[in-house]
Structures are given as structure tokens and as C-alpha cells.
Amino acid sequence: MEYHDIVIIGGGPAGLAAAVSAYDAGCRDVLILERDDRLGGILNQCIHNGFGLHTFKEELTGPEYAERYIEQVKERGIPYKLRSIVADISPEREVLYINSEEGAVTVKAGAVVLAMGCRERPRGALGLPGYRPAGIFTAGTAQRLMNIEGYLVGREVVILGSGDIGLIMARRMTLEGAKVKVVAELMPYSGGLKRNIVQCLDDYGIPLKLSHTVTKIHGKERVTGITISAVDENRRPIPGTEEFYSCDTLLLSCGLLPENELSKSAGVELDRVTGGPEVNDRLETSVPGVFACGNVLHVHDLVDYVSEEASRAGARAAEYASRGEDDGHAYTKLTGRGGVRYTVPQRIDTSKMDERVTVRFRVADVYRGRSIALYYDGKVIKKQKKRVMAPGEMEQIVLTKDSFEGLGVDEITIAVED
Amino acid sequence: MEKRELICIQCPMGCPLTVTVHDDGKVTVEGNTCPRGAAYGEKEVTHPTRTVTSTVVLEGGEIARVSVKTASDIPKEKIFDVMAEISRTKRRAPVTLGDIIIKDVAGTGVDVIATKSVPAK
């Protein structure tokens, strides 16, 4: 069986950054497996700008951001296989991939980096009533059809869900001459970034109806209209609030789900809140030598943070591949409470951690003028005041190694407080 | 004096800005966390601009469209003029990232450039 020090599953932003940093950490045997016919992942269809301000200190479009990392991969001569889909990963890190040139091939990896990204929540998972006419797309599918394949997917559009891709597509379709009639959001707040509400909806006068959902899809062959209704505090439609919008297209932007079928086959334990692997401060999963980064780990708002996280995973995978498992780790559990829904990582080796570890998390509701509090064994260590926190925007707090000096902490907690 | 509450769109941080237009025409910006935010706040109440991104029909390429952007921001009221010109434009592959696709689009003095390299089929 062919062996590689590191096999990276996915050639999107996470996989590319992990490969570059693994190489720079000294690993000369890295293989990237990508199922699409080019590297770059979802960035190839994200033609809007706003990427790279943290990483490159300039504002790039998705394809430009991808190309920078693809160049870095090529400069280093890191091999990659396109149109190669991974079908299985074993707990022993045997990776089975399939493509039309080689057929089914199993390779053994010294370390594996999971970088498969996420998928959109489809109509079937939303419980929307009505027939199944043509004209219902997830926002990302519509984005691919428009921006890569060149089809205008509809002329009169209703969008359910105010995730970033839905907001971006509202603007994109408007610019291409479609009429976006309304964006309905089930929750009382938007799931997208504030800037996208301003520059994708407000700029074009597209109404955003919070606490609304689709209660009927009209049309049998093709969508002919959508009925939306207001919902109560339990997210149940309120009778009598129905509004009909005539349209030919419904876009769904109702959340992203980390894609972890392969992680499960490798025996990786998943976090029930993120839907991604539970990891330690080295971004290693519950299976030794299997690391995770990017949207497969937890859904990010900014690709810049994906790259930064993936760089750490790549370097740690390189370290593992060169020296194998070192079992002298003792982990402290890290949990969120009081409005902090989850944390990544979920456990930290406080004696062997990096000098600084960034913990990322999301909050459960919109909070104004509240603080993020960090506790070690119930004792407050620091508090950070935040003007606004929202579920659609990832938060972070930095833990330093010296803050644990001589403490023997059993539990680290992060909470939203006054 | 006029106060406007804005969300900065310069980066995904989305800082909430309070922009005050004083009676003497001077503009002050509060709530920004970087100089880009101050510049945005002032520009948004005087002459708002946007970067336009779209795609252009590509003939003979590996994919059917090449993604493009205005090389810098253009006046907001020109967005649809710029889009009309982009929609009329066709290009033959190959295209290299940074290639000028339209010079001086819609009389804005700004070029439309490719944001992706696409080899010929």
C-alpha cells in the first residue's frame, strides 16, 4: 500500500492552507485529494469581494483568494489529485479514494487532515410544504449555476433564510436583472453578516422579513409563487398573516452543515452542537493522527479564519507524521455556558499548548453591551466587553499558556455576562 | 447637524458607525475600529461607492464564465450602468487573473479585470 506522510481530504481553502503549512513545517510528502476538477473549493464560485483582509491585508474576491493559495501549493510542488473522491477513511488512517484514471486506490497516511468543508441544508431537511416543482435551489447551488456555468436560475425570486450566501445571491440576481421580492428569515435576527445586509439588501431596497417563514410553495411543474407567514416565538406560523408573492424561484439559505460522513467512518467523535469533530488545541480529533480544520470542523464566517486554523492543523499534522503519537497529554475540558453555544477546541493541554490558543465560538442570541467572561474552575480570569454579539458572527477569545501557570485547572468555561 | 447610524462594509467585522454631518459640512465618524472605517463613514454620507463583481461570458474556456470585478470602487449610482456593459461583454479563453476585460467601464475611469485564470478548453 502506498504511504504518504500527510493526506489532506479536500482542496478548498482549508486543505490548501493545511498543505502549505505542513510543507513549511518540514513535511515533504503531502498529498491533497480533491473531488472537483480544480483546486479552490467553494471560493471559485464566491466571486464577490471581501476575502483576505486579515490574511493578505487587502480585499480580494473568492477566486483571487483561492489562487493565492493554489500558487503557494504549486510553488512548493505539493502533489494533488483532482476528480478524486474519498470514499472511506479507516481509524488506522487508510484512505480509499476513487477516480477514473486509477479506479479505487487505498493509501496509508502518517497523518490525515480532514478539510471536506460543509454542505447546505437542503429543502428536505426544512419541512417545507407543497409539491416539488422546478425552481427551488439552495443558494449555493444557484451561485454555482450562475457564476461558473452561466445560467440565470430565475427571474422573480423569493429567498428563505438570511445566511450570507442567500444575501450575496439576492444582490447577484438583482445585478443580473432578476427581481428579488423578499428575504424571509425564521429567526428574529439575521443569520448573515451585518455588512451583507447593508450592501446586498439595503443597497437594492430588498425587504428582509424577520420571524417569517415559507408556508406554501405554489406550482406543480415550476414554482409559480410562495406564501410566507409570520411566526410566533415558538417559530410556529401565525394564521392570518399569510402573504403571497408571485415568483418562479425559491432560494434556500438556511444553514450549513459540516460534512462529516468520512470522519464518522474513521471513528472520529463529533460535537453535537457544531456537527464537526471534537478537537484538542492541536486540532487533532479523538482519533490520533487525524486532524480537522475549516468548515468541516465548524462553520466559519470568514475564510481568513479558515486559513489560519488550517495552517495550525497542517503544522500539527506534520509534527505528528514525523514523530508519531506522543501520549503524554492531559486535557482540560473547555465548555460554553450562558449563551455560548459551543467552543472549538473542546479540550486543551494547558501544559503543552502553544503560548496563545484562539478559542472560537458562537452565541445563542443577539446580545448588546454584554461581556465575554473566561473562567478557570469557576474563577473569573478575564472579561471582554462587546458592543454587539450575534449568532451569525463568530466570536473568539485568546487563552495564553502563562495564564495556567501553577494553577492545575480542571475546567475552563466561557460565558456571556452583563 | 445630522447624525446617521451606519454599518461599516469595509470588512466582515461590520462595525456600527455613528456618522455626524456638522452644520459647517464637516463630517465626524465614531464607532470605527480602523482608519478604513472612518474613510468609509465619511464617503458613505458624501459620495457612496461600491466595488462591482460579476461574470463575463467566456468562449472556448474550461468553464462558461470568467469572474470579474471593478479594479477599484465606482460611484454607487453607476452600478447598473457598469453591469449593463459587463453583460454585453464576451471574451475568448484563455484569461489570466488580472487581465483587463473592459477599459474605463461606463465612463467611470475604472477598468473591469478578471479575478480568475481560465485556460482554453
Side-chain angles (χ1 to χ4, degrees):
Chain A
M1 193 187 305
E2 201 177 298
Y3 171 87
H4 294 283
D5 282 343
I6 301 180
V7 175
I8 296 175
I9 320 297
L16 295 170
V20 168
S21 96
Y23 184 95
D24 292 350
C27 184
R28 290 293 174 272
D29 182 18
V30 180
L31 174 66
I32 304 171
L33 297 172
E34 166 58 43
R35 62 177 187 159
D36 207 344
D37 43 21
R38 50 163 68 200
L39 294 174
I42 207 70
L43 287 172
N44 287 322
Q45 69 185 58
C46 298
I47 63 164
H48 54 283
N49 56 332
F51 302 88
L53 277 163
H54 295 265
T55 312
F56 298 112
K57 309 294 172 217
E58 59 182 302
E59 192 170 26
L60 302 172
T61 64
E64 291 172 308
Y65 188 97
E67 199 129 325
R68 298 246 174 141
Y69 274 96
I70 293 168
E71 284 307 313
Q72 293 183 41
V73 163
K74 289 183 175 168
E75 279 164 16
R76 287 163 180 75
I78 299 171
Y80 55 89
K81 288 181 190 290
L82 302 176
R83 293 173 287 275
S84 299
I85 188 149
V86 174
D88 188 56
I89 307 170
S90 77
E92 294 73 36
R93 301 188 301 278
E94 291 165 353
V95 178
L96 167 65
Y97 69 86
I98 303 165
N99 64 37
S100 12
E101 289 86 43
E102 301 170 88
V105 181
T106 303
V107 292
K108 169 86 181 173
V112 169
V113 178
L114 304 172
M116 295 88 79
C118 59
R119 304 291 175 266
E120 293 176 279
R121 186 171 278 126
R123 177 188 173 181
L126 296 171
L128 297 179
Y131 286 106
R132 299 181 174 197
I136 304 171
F137 302 90
T138 57
T141 300
Q143 189 180 45
R144 181 174 175 109
L145 288 169
M146 282 190 84
N147 295 345
I148 307 272
E149 299 179 26
Y151 299 104
L152 180 64
V153 298
R155 300 198 180 278
E156 293 189 305
V157 186
V158 168
I159 300 179
L160 175 63
S162 59
D164 287 311
I165 314 169
L167 301 175
I168 293 287
M169 284 307 291
R171 173 177 63 182
R172 182 79 189 106
M173 296 202 71
T174 304
L175 289 176
E176 291 291 354
K179 172 78 187 155
V180 178
K181 298 198 162 173
V182 68
V183 176
E185 167 60 56
L186 179 67
M187 303 303 285
Y189 48 80
S190 164
L193 296 171
K194 289 179 288 247
R195 77 188 296 247
N196 284 335
I197 297 187
V198 174
Q199 60 180 358
C200 298
L201 301 187
D202 298 354
D203 270 8
Y204 301 96
I206 300 167
L208 170 62
K209 296 208 159 196
L210 299 174
S211 299
H212 277 72
T213 193
V214 169
T215 44
K216 189 163 186 189
I217 297 169
H218 305 260
K220 200 162 180 185
E221 300 300 322
R222 175 86 198 191
V223 173
T224 56
I226 298 291
T227 298
I228 71 169
S229 304
V231 297
D232 63 20
E233 61 276 15
N234 299 315
R235 302 180 218 166
R236 294 274 176 78
I238 303 169
T241 61
E242 296 85 0
E243 285 173 88
F244 175 78
Y245 291 88
S246 151
C247 63
D248 55 31
T249 303
L250 172 66
L251 295 191
L252 305 171
S253 179
C254 301
L256 299 168
L257 310 163
E259 173 57 46
N260 279 287
E261 291 306 311
L262 291 171
S263 318
K264 283 185 212 162
S265 72
V268 166
E269 276 172 37
L270 302 183
D271 181 313
R272 281 173 55 195
V273 180
T274 59
E278 285 191 2
V279 291
N280 59 33
D281 52 295
R282 299 189 307 289
L283 300 170
E284 186 181 26
T285 67
S286 61
V287 177
V290 177
F291 297 77
C293 53
N295 283 352
V296 78
L297 177 56
H298 58 143
V299 176
H300 295 61
D301 314 324
L302 300 191
V303 73
D304 298 76
Y305 293 157
V306 168
S307 300
E308 184 265 336
E309 184 179 276
S311 297
R312 287 194 283 135
R316 292 308 198 158
E319 181 186 72
Y320 185 94
S322 74
R323 96 171 172 219
E325 192 172 350
D326 79 89
D327 42 22
H329 286 286
Y331 293 106
T332 302
K333 206 168 147 44
L334 183 60
T335 43
R337 62 169 173 79
V340 174
R341 291 187 57 231
Y342 71 82
T343 68
V344 170
Q346 287 87 349
R347 48 184 180 268
I348 289 189
D349 181 339
T350 58
S351 61
K352 292 186 182 167
M353 66 187 274
D354 287 340
E355 290 309 316
R356 295 163 64 81
V357 168
T358 302
V359 176
R360 300 212 159 97
F361 57 93
R362 284 185 193 274
V363 297
D365 205 344
V366 177
Y367 301 106
R368 286 173 203 285
R370 308 283 286 275
S371 298
I372 297 165
L374 172 67
Y375 287 89
Y376 295 168
D377 291 335
K379 185 168 162 263
V380 68
I381 299 299
K382 67 172 164 182
K383 265 192 166 189
Q384 260 166 235
K385 188 101 177 160
K386 302 288 289 184
R387 283 178 78 167
V388 185
M389 288 184 278
E393 316 219 352
M394 191 184 280
E395 297 291 340
Q396 63 183 50
I397 191 163
V398 173
L399 305 190
T400 60
K401 190 177 180 183
D402 58 20
S403 68
F404 293 103
E405 209 87 352
L407 284 184
V409 175
D410 291 323
E411 199 189 15
I412 306 165
T413 320
I414 297 170
V416 175
E417 290 185 351
D418 287 333
Chain B
M1 199 175 77
E2 187 205 338
K3 266 186 193 291
R4 275 179 67 185
E5 301 291 330
L6 299 175
I7 299 290
C8 180
I9 62 169
Q10 290 304 294
C11 86
M13 291 264 295
C15 294
L17 307 178
T18 305
V19 183
T20 311
V21 183
H22 298 275
D23 294 334
D24 61 359
K26 267 181 92 171
V27 179
T28 51
V29 181
E30 293 162 89
N32 57 303
T33 49
C34 79
R36 293 163 56 93
Y40 169 77
E42 181 165 353
K43 204 152 82 168
E44 192 63 12
V45 298
T46 48
H47 56 285
T49 62
R50 295 288 185 269
T51 297
V52 175
T53 63
S54 186
T55 61
V56 160
V57 173
L58 191 65
E59 289 167 340
E62 270 184 0
I63 52 175
R65 289 285 189 287
V66 60
S67 53
V68 298
K69 70 174 181 183
T70 52
S72 62
D73 44 359
I74 54 123
K76 194 175 160 186
E77 70 274 11
K78 288 273 196 178
I79 289 175
F80 282 95
D81 296 341
V82 168
M83 275 306 296
E85 210 170 314
I86 287 174
S87 303
R88 284 196 300 272
T89 304
K90 280 186 185 163
R91 189 60 194 245
R92 263 208 94 71
V95 172
T96 304
L97 189 149
D99 282 357
I100 295 177
I101 304 292
I102 305 171
K103 269 205 95 59
D104 182 18
V105 65
T108 55
V110 174
D111 298 338
V112 170
I113 59 172
T115 57
K116 187 184 277 186
S117 300
V118 185
K121 196 157 35 185

